[in-house]
Every structure is written in structure tokens, then in C-alpha cells.
Amino acid sequence: MNRSTSTRGTVGAAVAMSLVGSLTAVSATIADYPVFGGQAVRYAVAAAILLAVCRAVESRRAGPRGAETRRAARPTRREWVYLAAVAGTGLAAFNVFIVLATEDTSPATVGTVIATVPIALALAGPLLERRRPAPVLVVSACVVTAGAALANGLGSGTARGLLLALGALAGEVCFSLLAVPVLPRLGPLRVSAYSAALAAPMLLAAGLAADGAGVLRAPTGAELAGLAYLSVVVTTVAFLLWYDALGRLGPDRAGLFAGLIPVSAVITTVLLGLGRPGPADLAGAALVAAGVVIGLRPSRARRPETVPDGPAGREPALEAG
């Protein structure tokens, strides 16, 4: 991994998780909109944008062998299985668990549980690649998680709420790990587009089961702005940056930046005038920063570059956002 690749992955992961962290505050603008319907709209709009960009990129690259190149870039049956698993666990199920968990426990508790993502990725990522987790990454992941939990605040709730929060944590981990096998060939743009497209009908089905005909309605002006932000910024842009960073840094190193989610949530809340950070918020942010710095220190054994290359996998800068 060269310096430019590492820098690009680092910046991309940090921006992606910061954008995801803004979701909590912005979601307040669509609090009265049907939850599953809103999420289905969010992913449908993001998928439409991403698929349009896919077509534009492929058209720009099309030449005498353009049709052959497009066919080569289409997912195989095995890749469709992985993409459906990403959509079902990391997108649809994650949102379902979040919604159900907050009915039984506080958002702070849910956030604290999800804040353990860095530890899970620091352990599971290397194991899936048949290598030992780097001790420094495990330690730094624990520091990041402690900071994220401190920034979130330790809440309380029921055992059912805790189990549902753990389900959301599993979905967040799957969002990254299940994408790793398909990123080298398909690239971040196609993985983002296809997973979002598959998640939309899954969430719509969940909404129909939960809300019936009320799953969708015309949004108000504020709701429309909130849905647009979630679709374009939190989903389209953040997905592209995250999956690009995942291929460049690996799930263990990239996972450290998940600790920025609650910190970004605090900052967004302040910017929107919804609250002010307390001592725990500031101390948590400092711990997260320290953990990320520890985990990203240069090491002798560099992880090989895994960003797609070759005619069927390499994409121009447009694809990575």
C-alpha cells in the first residue's frame, strides 16, 4: 500500500463515518415519517443515482469492446448472493433492529453497543483473511470503542432492547465484511449501487407488514429535505467513500473510523442548535482520536493493495466519490 493510497483511504473512511454520524440529528427531521417507508425511499433514490453514475462511467469507457466490458463487470451468481446478504443484513436488517431496539432501550445504549464495531472488525477482518489480528489494532479499537461509548453516554434498557442492539451491531459488521469478497472485481460504485437497490424492496416489504398502506405518504418540506440528505449524502456519498476505503485499508484498519459516528452525531447536533457537548462528549472525542492515531501508525508489514484493478474492476476517480 503506497502513501497516496493510505492517505486516500484514511480520508475517505473518516469522511464516510462522519457523514453517517450526522444521520442521528438529521433523522429528527423525518421522525414523523413512516420509518420503513422512509428508509426504502432513501435507498431507492440512492440506488437510482448510483446506477445512473454506473451507466455514465461505463458509457465513457465503452469502445470497440464496450459491450464485452459491461458484461464482464456484471455480478456473477455468487456475487449476487454476497450483495443480497449485504443488503439484507447491513442495510435492511440493521435499520429494522435499530427501530425495534429504540422502542425498548435508549438511543444511547444502542449507540454504545454499535460503538463496538471497531473491535469486531479488528478481530473478524483478519481472521477471515486467515491472518492474526494485529495487537496494536485490537488495542486501538478498544480505545476507540471506549471513546465512542463515552461520547454516546451509557444508557439503560431491557434485555430485549440489548439483544436487538446486538442485532444492529451484527448488521453493521456484515455491511463491511460481506462486501470484502466482491469489492476487488465490482468496485465500490457497483457494490454501493446494487446493495442499495436490493435493500429498497426489502425495507418496503417490512414497511407493508408493519404499517400497511401507510408505509408511504407525501413528505413535508422538512421531511423532503431530510430524506434528500440521507439519500444523497449519508447513503450515496458515504457508501462510495467507505467501500473505497475498505479496499484500501482493510476492514480492521478502516473499522477504527466507525468510532467517529457518535462524535460526528454530537457535532451535528451542535451545528443544528439541538444541544451542546458536555465533558463526556469532549473526552470521548479525544479517546476516539487517540485510538485512531494509534491504529493507523505505519507498520513494517503493510497490507497489500486490494482496490480493483484491470479492465473489469478498475474505475476512474469518479467511482470512488
Side-chain angles (χ1 to χ4, degrees):
M1 184 191 303
N2 58 44
R3 181 183 297 272
S4 63
T5 291
S6 179
T7 300
R8 177 171 170 174
T10 298
V11 173
V15 173
M17 291 297 99
S18 296
L19 292 178
V20 171
S22 68
L23 179 149
T24 304
V26 175
S27 292
T29 63
I30 60 170
D32 295 329
Y33 195 86
V35 175
F36 296 115
Q39 295 298 324
V41 169
R42 166 191 171 187
Y43 288 120
V45 171
I49 296 172
L50 290 164
L51 289 171
V53 175
C54 273
R55 180 168 296 183
V57 169
E58 290 173 350
S59 297
R60 189 174 68 181
R61 293 170 52 204
R65 302 180 63 184
E68 179 182 342
T69 300
R70 284 193 292 272
R71 284 195 298 269
R74 291 174 182 171
T76 63
R77 183 177 301 179
R78 177 175 176 272
E79 289 168 339
W80 276 120
V81 172
Y82 274 105
L83 291 168
V86 170
T89 59
L91 304 185
F94 173 79
N95 282 280
V96 172
F97 281 128
I98 286 291
V99 172
L100 295 177
T102 52
E103 294 178 357
D104 280 55
T105 191
S106 69
T109 299
V110 178
T112 300
V113 172
I114 295 176
T116 61
V117 164
I119 293 178
L121 291 179
L123 294 174
L127 292 176
L128 289 177
E129 296 176 350
R130 297 182 180 180
R131 57 187 177 89
R132 292 181 179 179
V136 67
L137 287 178
V138 175
V139 171
S140 60
C142 292
V143 174
V144 168
T145 299
L150 187 59
N152 251 310
L154 297 175
S156 60
T158 66
R160 177 177 179 270
L162 177 60
L163 290 174
L164 291 169
L166 289 172
L169 168 64
E172 183 71 8
V173 172
C174 289
F175 174 71
S176 296
L177 294 184
L178 291 175
V180 171
V182 296
L183 276 171
R185 199 182 78 87
L186 296 180
L189 176 55
R190 293 187 184 89
V191 172
S192 300
Y194 295 143
S195 59
L198 290 168
M202 295 178 184
L203 285 160
L204 184 60
L208 288 171
D211 302 318
V215 64
L216 294 173
R217 64 167 172 79
T220 65
E223 289 171 341
L224 182 61
L227 288 170
Y229 179 85
L230 293 177
S231 300
V232 177
V233 178
V234 178
T235 306
T236 305
V237 177
F239 276 26
L240 285 176
L241 291 175
W242 177 249
Y243 280 139
D244 181 66
L246 196 64
R248 296 175 187 278
L249 300 177
D252 46 357
R253 292 167 68 84
L256 295 175
F257 291 93
L260 293 177
I261 293 177
V263 177
S264 174
V266 171
I267 295 173
T268 307
T269 299
V270 173
L271 293 177
L272 294 179
L274 301 176
R276 294 182 179 180
D281 299 319
L282 298 177
L287 273 177
V288 168
V292 171
V293 170
I294 292 171
L296 294 179
R297 287 185 307 172
S299 60
R300 293 180 180 178
R302 283 291 193 181
R303 186 180 185 277
E305 175 65 67
T306 58
V307 173
D309 201 355
R314 185 78 174 178
E315 301 294 346
L318 175 64
E319 176 164 329

